[in-house]
Amino acid sequence: MKFDIGRVAAAEQYLDIKLGDLIKEAQSDTGLSLRAVRALVAIGTARPLLPELVGFTIGTDDLQRADAAIREHGIDAAAAAVGNALGRFLRDVSVGEAA
């Protein structure tokens, strides 16, 4: 799973939430909602179709792939993978390395 600026922007748009609010939700006592985990797994594993032209979007196929991954690995493992990938993205962005 990987996040970059385009993927995170697509997740923000899909979830109608800002990155800062998403991080606050992740750090809350209850953690990310299933809706957020599903969307982030979908976009974090999406294969880009000409991202330089159309960017990333979350489609039905992406959500179905995310659903299958969550069922296979469990919600806790999926949420942990999302958290780890978001953490890497935030570290990269803070030092100017994210694409």
Side-chain angles (χ1 to χ4, degrees):
M1 183 174 315
K2 177 183 173 150
F3 294 111
D4 55 31
I5 292 170
R7 291 173 192 264
V8 172
E12 282 182 324
Q13 182 178 8
Y14 180 82
L15 293 167
D16 193 27
I17 189 171
K18 293 179 182 178
L19 177 59
D21 293 331
L22 191 61
I23 292 167
K24 286 179 190 174
E25 180 182 333
Q27 294 174 339
S28 72
D29 290 341
T30 57
L32 290 169
S33 67
L34 178 57
R35 179 176 178 259
V37 170
R38 180 185 191 220
L40 290 165
V41 168
I43 200 67
T45 60
R47 292 172 202 85
L49 294 173
L50 303 172
E52 64 280 359
L53 298 177
V54 297
F56 287 93
T57 60
I58 299 175
T60 302
D61 291 344
D62 300 313
L63 293 173
Q64 289 173 347
R65 187 183 58 258
D67 291 350
I70 292 168
R71 278 193 302 275
E72 179 180 348
H73 300 287
I75 186 68
D76 291 339
V82 164
N84 289 334
L86 272 177
R88 283 191 303 274
F89 166 75
L90 292 170
R91 283 189 299 278
D92 290 347
V93 169
S94 72
V95 294
E97 297 176 5

